[in-house]
Structures are given as C-alpha cells and as structure tokens.
Amino acid sequence: MQSSRRLARAPPPRTLFTRLYSSSSSLLPANGAGDGAGSSRVGGVAVKQVTRGNLAEALEELRARVRDAAFVGLDLEMSGVTSAPWRDTFELDRADVRYLKLRDSAQRFAALQLGVCPFRWDPAKSAFVAHPHNFFIFPRKELPDDISSHEFLCQTTSIDFLAKYQFDFNTCFHEGISYLSRAQEEEALQKLNVLYHDGIASPNTSEEEDVPLRSTADLLFTERMKIKFKEWRDVIISNPRMDNHWLECNKFSTHQFQTVFFKMHPAILLNGFTSHQLKLIQQKDLQEDLLRSREARVKSAVGIRHVIDLLASERKLIVGHSCFLDIAQVYSKFIGPLPSTVKEFALGIHKILPYIADTRHLMSASDSVQYLMRQKSKSLSSVFSLLCPAFHSTVAEPSTLSPVRIEVEADETMLSCFASGAKHEAGYDAFMTGCVFAQLCDHLDVKFEHLPPRDNLAMNNKLQKYINLLSPSFNSGTSLDLSTGMERPDTGYKRRYPTVLYDNVVLIWGYQSELRPRDIKDCICKVFGPASVTTIFSIDSTAVLVQFSKQESVNDFMDLKAALEKTDSAISVLHPLSTILEGGKTRAANYDTYRDICGSSVSKYFFADQAEAVCSSSKSLLKCENIDAADTPGVILNESILDETIPTSEKHAGGTKNVSKKEDDSEISCQDILDALQDGKALFDKRTRST
C-alpha cells in the first residue's frame, strides 16, 4: 500500500540504490538511527507510483527495464476475492468447479493496482537490480460510444484490509489508469471501420453540409480519390527531403494535382474539379481525419493494458506468488472474457505470456524450503520474512541473511514519483515476489554468477521443469500446466479429506437451518450403514456435499428421498431421513449440477438461494430434483414400499428379492416400524396375507 512518507531528494549521483541485502550487508536500524537522510531510505523500498498523469513517461522507462530484465515480478490488488462464502475454493472441488469459482471472482471484482518489478542481473555487482512500479487502476468511460457500465463488486473484508494497510483510494479513484482489453479495442475499431466504410463517420452536424453518395459515379469517384490520396501520402512519407525541383517532377504534379507547401507542410492543390466533386473530396478527407482521430482515441484508451502488451512482447519470465487469480484477472481485464473451461484459459494465457512461474509451486519443489516453512504460513509476507530477513530485522546474523544480493534502483531526478513501499501494495508485493523467487532459485541450485545480461531465466535448464505450473488454490493439491491445460497432483500436498470419487457425490441443500453436517451424516448412516458415507463437506450453512462409499448408493438415496416425499405414511415421519427432509424444501442432485450452479452468472449469498435461482431458471438444463419428485423429469422412482402400487425390493446380505404390497399401512405394526428403524433398513416389507 502507498505510504504517506516520501523519499527526500539526495545529492548526486543521478541514480540511487536502496535496501541492499546480502550475506555481507550491514543494515541501519529501521528506527532511523544512522547518518541523516540515508537512514530514511533504509527503512523502506523506493517504489515508483504511476497514475494516468505520468503513464506515458513511466511506460518508456519500463520498456527499457523489462528488456534488460532476467525476470519480472507481478502482483495485483483487487476489490475482493469471493462474492459469497460458498464461492471459496474447497479441497473437494473438481478442477472445472475450482476454475469456475476463480473465473467468477476475476469477472466480478476490480483490479485496483498492478505491481510490476523487473529484476536485472548485474554481473559487476553480482546482484539483482530491481525496479518496482506500482500502477493505480480505475475503469472509467474513455470512449464517447462506450456503453459499458464498468460495474464491479467490493468485498467489505477486502476493502477493510486494504484500508488497514493505508491503501490510497483517492489516488486510485481520481488518478487511476483506465484500460481497454484487446477484445474491447478490437470491437471499438471494428465499429469505427464499419461507420467509415458506410459513410456515417462524418463530423458534420448540419444535414445540408453532407453530400449523399447517390450515384455510382459518385461512389467510383470517391474511391478513386481515396486511392490517389493514399498513394500521394505514401510517396510523401517515403521522401522526407523534398525541394521545389522534386515537387515539379514527381508523378503527382499534374494539372489537377499539384504538390505544394502549406504552412510548412506538404499539401495538394486541386484544379479542374466541379464544386460537387470538391465537396465529395472534402467530405472524404474529413471522414478520414475523423477516423484517424477516433482510432487514436481508441489507442489512447488502451491505458494500462500497454504494460501487459509490453510483458507479452518481451516474452520475459513472469513471477507471481499463488498467482492463479492474478493471472485470471490479467486475462479478464486486459485480454478478453474468460473462457468457459480451465483448459481454454490455460492455453489462451500461455500464448500471450509464455513463461510464468509460481513461487508457491517452487516452494514445494525444495525440501530445504519446506523444512524451513514447516508449521508456518505460506503467505507472501511470511515467506519473504523467512527467506529475506534483512528487510524485517534491524540486526541480523550474517549466516541468516539471504544468499542472493538485491538492490533497488530509483531515478533521483524523478523522486517525486517514488514512495516508500509497504506490503499489500501491488508494486512492493511484486518486489517481494521477485526477491522470494531469487532465493528459491538458489535453493534449487540455480547459479546466477554466469548469467548473461538480458538473459531470460525461463531458459534455465534447472528451472524449466517448474515453469508454467500454477497452483490453482492453496488447497487444490494440484498444479495446472499452462502448456497443456491439464492438472497434475502436487506430491508434497497433504490432503485433509480422502480422494473424491465425484460419481459417488450427492449435493444436498434447503434443509432446516439447525441441522449440522454431522447430523446429516448420522441420518444417512442409519439408513445405509455406518460405513456408507466416506466424507461430508459443508458448502455453507445451507448445503453439503456427501460422498458415498458406493456409487449405487447415490441413486438409492435419490430414489428413497423421492419416495419419502411422495407419501404421508407413518414410515415417512419416523424414517431417519425425515430429519433431513423436514420442511419440505430439501433438494438433492449430482455433482455435475453443483458444477452448473457454481458456473452460473446468478449471484446469491447463500448456496441454497443460488441453487433455487439457477434450477428454477434452467430446469431444462439441470437435473435438479424437484420438491415433488414424481413430477420432475430425470428423477425415476424405481422401487418403493411407501406407495401401495409401486414395486419394492428387499435388500438382504444374500441378494435382492422383489415383492409387492397392497395392504393398508395400518396393517404394519408400530413394532415393525421401530424394528425397521433400529435395523437401519430403508426399504422393508411384511406380507399381510397368509399363503
């Protein structure tokens, strides 16, 4: 976050360095004890603050920094992460569901800051030189024809968190840099071209000044003039040095066309045209000028996306920490709408940013780092404090300091644009990410001593097997390979839950609010046996995922639930599942329905409300079980003893026996019901007729 403290001007040299750390560095106390002005810089890192006022200048400087960099740290600060508790990523989430949740976050929340920090290796100093940049972002209407609303969500906990770390909301909202994604730019330019070729892009507001192209002759004349003027412009551009002799001899100097100078610029003097033809030429010329002006306006509205285009064109190694959501935000805001599948997303971003490293994944690749991080948080600030202790301690033993030296460079002539960085400011977090990456490389035995200047670390043999592998979330237990779009298990991850068999999973929602997951499990186990449920997972207070040990139990549960809801018999009241079904609003579906609910654009805070909204609007698409199961397509009542005319099955250890029942429920004794409940039988039968 931006700090109110500014770096004071210092005497020459032109370039200053702050916060050098290494195994041999000595640090001044953070409280400012030391020799005057220099101590104020030791307490922080100089981060360049970029707004729309200095974007053009910052881009020019950044272009050179990125070109010389070995890698670039990247980080974003956002207005929120999840729009509802159930949209958190869970360990039990399948890869497609996890992606849909992250996609929802990237689409709904705004990116407020973009942090970019190029790291250049300096062989003379045997150190990396870092240049942290912090770009403020705010989406606003930059084009007159832009009808998009630019709405985004704010998560109160996220905003409160940013405020706690002194995020400068005023600068963000007033001076933040707007943007157009590649898709938005392409759409805007296409609209302009359509208007131009249709002859609608005239700046004239008075109808009498417009010259309608009614005849074929007018159309042919206008097209011929377009070609003629284009050829003239091309010749002028290709001959920057022109004199009077050239003007007289070039092929465009005819009776009708004479090249002259007008106010020190080349121009054409037209002769021998009718007034109608001159009006056509003037209108065409005005339309071309207007088209160029509007195209320039669109290019200007690209804004901060120029930074992403720069990173893409230089094809440098991009480094983030737990950066899946950051990369998804980059795609959503600066590339175009996020694809519907994780594979499409992975392959799409891989074409644009071909080399990405996730320090979270790198941490799991180093045994020594895993040992150091045991029982510690894997957050960026925690890892940074461990691997880069010189930035956190006033006095540090040489043996504990980081082995890779890093300097922060700031242009002294532009110190008014710099501020002392702090964590949870995107620019400083990008710097921290790069520092952590450099130390992790050392733990992976990557040597920088012979690293040539401008060399791309993505080409390093010892790093290549870790490149383009992102951790989708901290609890996924997998890594996504951006080059293939496939996930692979993370061997170092320790799962809290057994491996999920998604065909064995039932989604249940809408039950009474006082029920807890353990209560639901107990009810199910009374019917299907104590080992019938492998895992029960709470989505939120209104829904759970239940994994059965056997796949056939899924259909049995759905059929039994439907049968119990269809009858008003004593069994339906005393049955163990009646606790779950109480209230008449309990619904159940398979895991694919859970995926479809998570992927919907509908946004409700409670999952049960979300599910009802999605299912009610998409009955033809989702196989959601209705409250009246008998009237719902896709729900089949295979067998039940709870209806007088429905065939039943009695399950025994030795097999299944089909019987039928036509007697009234009153002929079943209370003791029979109690015995059935105690034994945990869901379906039972008693012959009431003597044979």
Side-chain angles (χ1 to χ4, degrees):
M1 304 308 139
Q2 188 178 23
S3 171
S4 59
R5 180 175 55 180
R6 297 284 176 178
L7 294 176
R9 286 191 175 274
R14 179 186 179 93
T15 300
L16 65 90
F17 294 88
T18 65
R19 269 293 194 182
L20 170 65
Y21 72 84
S22 70
S23 58
S24 59
S25 64
S26 59
L27 299 173
L28 293 174
N31 60 8
D35 58 338
S39 61
S40 65
R41 297 192 188 101
V42 173
V45 168
V47 178
K48 186 163 189 175
Q49 307 296 314
V50 185
T51 63
R52 56 180 175 171
N54 64 335
L55 174 62
E57 159 204 325
L59 277 174
E60 284 302 311
E61 182 248 348
L62 183 64
R63 186 168 284 108
R65 304 301 188 194
V66 171
R67 190 175 297 119
D68 294 341
F71 64 92
V72 180
L74 183 76
D75 186 80
L76 278 86
E77 295 296 332
M78 294 157 268
S79 64
V81 179
T82 55
S83 57
W86 60 269
R87 287 200 184 271
D88 279 332
T89 55
F90 304 138
E91 186 180 281
L92 272 66
D93 284 341
R94 199 165 58 191
D96 55 348
V97 172
R98 188 183 303 114
Y99 170 71
L100 291 174
K101 290 182 176 182
L102 293 167
R103 185 183 71 162
D104 177 84
S105 174
Q107 291 172 335
R108 294 184 187 276
F109 295 101
L112 301 179
Q113 282 183 343
L114 171 66
V116 177
C117 185
F119 284 77
R120 171 179 58 87
W121 177 254
D122 189 334
K125 298 178 179 179
S126 294
F128 278 108
V129 178
H131 301 271
H133 291 67
N134 188 56
F135 295 84
F136 284 92
I137 308 174
F138 187 73
R140 60 173 57 85
K141 183 177 178 178
E142 295 285 356
L143 300 177
D145 299 328
D146 186 6
I147 59 174
S148 54
S149 61
H150 298 287
E151 295 177 349
F152 60 87
L153 293 183
C154 289
Q155 188 176 1
T156 55
T157 53
S158 295
I159 298 301
D160 184 61
F161 179 83
L162 292 175
K164 175 183 176 183
Y165 287 96
Q166 301 178 5
F167 186 93
D168 194 338
F169 290 101
N170 284 332
T171 298
C172 180
F173 296 152
H174 288 288
E175 298 298 327
I177 308 162
S178 189
Y179 55 84
L180 291 179
S181 69
R182 291 185 178 184
Q184 289 170 328
E185 180 191 13
E186 182 179 359
E187 181 183 0
L189 291 176
Q190 285 178 349
K191 287 181 179 179
L192 288 181
N193 286 325
V194 169
L195 292 174
Y196 173 72
H197 289 296
D198 289 346
I200 306 174
S202 173
N204 298 323
T205 57
S206 173
E207 293 184 2
E208 63 184 12
E209 294 180 0
D210 291 335
V211 182
L213 303 180
R214 294 177 179 175
S215 68
T216 303
D218 285 349
L219 291 172
L220 292 175
F221 175 79
T222 302
E223 288 301 316
R224 191 165 63 249
M225 290 300 100
K226 286 181 182 179
I227 296 173
K228 191 79 172 177
F229 282 116
K230 183 180 184 304
E231 291 177 348
W232 177 81
R233 286 193 182 97
D234 291 342
V235 171
I236 295 296
I237 293 173
S238 62
N239 294 274
R241 296 182 179 180
M242 296 177 290
D243 52 23
N244 291 331
H245 176 72
W246 185 91
L247 294 177
E248 294 174 359
C249 297
N250 80 87
K251 65 178 182 178
F252 291 99
S253 292
T254 63
H255 174 69
Q256 284 188 312
F257 292 89
Q258 293 184 23
T259 304
V260 297
F261 280 102
F262 179 75
K263 294 183 178 180
M264 303 301 291
H265 294 285
I268 291 181
L269 182 64
L270 302 175
N271 298 307
F273 292 96
T274 67
S275 60
H276 179 71
Q277 288 175 329
L278 289 173
K279 285 184 178 180
L280 290 175
I281 293 173
Q282 183 183 31
Q283 180 173 308
K284 176 202 69 64
D285 199 41
L286 289 174
Q287 286 179 340
E288 288 185 347
D289 288 344
L290 179 62
L291 177 64
R292 286 192 294 270
S293 173
R294 290 184 175 178
E295 285 178 341
R297 184 83 176 268
V298 172
K299 294 294 183 183
S300 175
V302 166
I304 196 162
R305 203 202 78 215
H306 284 302
V307 177
I308 302 302
D309 290 345
L310 168 62
L311 298 178
S313 63
E314 293 296 333
R315 300 174 68 84
K316 294 292 185 176
L317 175 61
I318 307 300
V319 180
H321 182 80
S322 293
C323 59
F324 191 102
L325 184 55
D326 298 71
I327 299 301
Q329 277 277 5
V330 167
Y331 196 112
S332 175
K333 301 302 185 289
F334 309 126
I335 308 302
L338 281 162
S340 58
T341 67
V342 66
K343 184 172 184 178
E344 290 177 289
F345 163 72
L347 297 179
I349 197 67
H350 184 61
K351 290 180 181 178
I352 298 164
L353 300 174
Y355 309 111
I356 301 177
D358 188 346
T359 52
R360 179 82 184 222
H361 175 71
L362 281 173
M363 286 164 54
S364 64
S366 170
D367 293 336
S368 59
V369 173
Q370 286 194 52
Y371 178 79
L372 290 173
M373 293 300 299
R374 65 191 187 282
Q375 298 181 344
K376 288 186 174 65
S377 168
K378 303 301 188 297
S379 67
L380 176 60
S381 58
S382 177
V383 181
F384 182 68
S385 63
L386 179 73
L387 298 182
C388 311
F391 281 82
H392 289 266
S393 58
T394 56
V395 179
E397 294 296 329
S399 60
T400 66
L401 293 175
S402 308
V404 180
R405 301 174 66 241
I406 296 179
E407 294 179 352
V408 180
E409 185 177 282
D411 187 347
E412 190 180 73
T413 63
M414 301 298 297
L415 277 180
S416 61
C417 298
F418 287 81
S420 180
K423 65 180 181 178
H424 305 303
E425 173 194 76
Y428 187 74
D429 283 0
F431 165 73
M432 289 199 297
T433 299
C435 292
V436 167
F437 173 74
Q439 310 310 322
L440 289 173
C441 286
D442 182 76
H443 283 275
L444 295 173
D445 202 30
V446 176
K447 303 301 182 184
F448 301 118
E449 287 82 0
H450 305 292
L451 183 68
R454 296 191 178 186
D455 193 28
N456 193 341
L457 265 181
M459 302 294 105
N460 186 281
N461 291 332
K462 293 183 179 179
L463 275 180
Q464 282 187 350
K465 62 181 179 181
Y466 305 112
I467 304 300
N468 293 323
L469 294 175
L470 303 189
S471 299
S473 65
F474 74 96
N475 57 3
S476 66
T478 60
S479 297
L480 175 65
D481 189 340
L482 297 180
S483 63
T484 64
M486 305 299 292
E487 284 196 3
R488 61 176 70 173
D490 186 346
T491 55
Y493 180 77
K494 296 181 179 179
R495 298 188 63 88
R496 294 180 56 194
Y497 298 93
T499 302
V500 182
L501 302 175
Y502 294 102
D503 289 339
N504 294 17
V505 174
V506 170
L507 168 67
I508 305 175
W509 75 89
Y511 45 82
Q512 296 291 301
S513 59
E514 62 269 14
L515 275 183
R516 298 293 178 263
R518 177 175 294 181
D519 301 329
I520 296 173
K521 180 179 179 180
D522 290 343
C523 292
I524 295 174
C525 288
K526 286 179 181 179
V527 179
F528 293 92
S532 59
V533 176
T534 303
T535 307
I536 185 163
F537 185 85
S538 175
I539 297 173
D540 67 2
S541 61
T542 68
V544 294
L545 291 171
V546 178
Q547 177 174 284
F548 287 93
S549 56
K550 297 179 181 179
Q551 184 177 343
E552 57 266 26
S553 297
V554 173
N555 289 332
D556 290 345
F557 173 82
M558 300 287 279
D559 291 346
L560 176 57
K561 174 184 177 296
L564 288 168
E565 289 176 331
K566 190 174 183 296
T567 184
D568 293 328
S569 68
I571 291 181
S572 65
V573 176
L574 297 174
H575 197 280
L577 290 189
S578 63
T579 304
I580 302 175
L581 305 180
E582 185 179 354
K585 295 184 179 180
T586 303
R587 303 184 71 185
N590 60 20
Y591 191 85
D592 285 343
T593 300
Y594 174 61
R595 174 203 61 201
D596 295 336
I597 293 171
C598 291
S600 171
S601 59
V602 176
S603 181
K604 301 292 184 181
Y605 186 77
F606 290 110
F607 184 88
D609 296 335
Q610 173 83 4
E612 288 302 313
V614 173
C615 290
S616 62
S617 61
S618 309
K619 285 184 178 179
S620 61
L621 300 178
L622 303 181
K623 293 182 179 179
C624 295
E625 183 202 13
N626 207 331
I627 297 175
D628 186 1
D631 297 332
T632 304
V635 178
I636 302 174
L637 303 181
N638 291 323
E639 49 215 31
S640 174
I641 64 152
L642 303 177
D643 191 302
E644 295 181 354
T645 61
I646 298 178
T648 65
S649 66
E650 182 177 4
K651 298 183 179 179
H652 299 282
T656 302
K657 178 174 62 179
N658 291 332
V659 295
S660 63
K661 170 182 176 292
K662 295 185 179 179
E663 298 343 295
D664 292 336
D665 290 334
S666 59
E667 296 188 5
I668 300 176
S669 69
C670 181
Q671 187 60 45
D672 290 329
I673 297 174
L674 295 175
D675 291 342
L677 295 177
Q678 185 175 0
D679 294 339
K681 295 179 180 178
L683 302 175
F684 68 95
D685 178 56
K686 175 184 177 183
R687 294 184 181 275
T688 58
R689 291 184 180 179
S690 60
T691 57

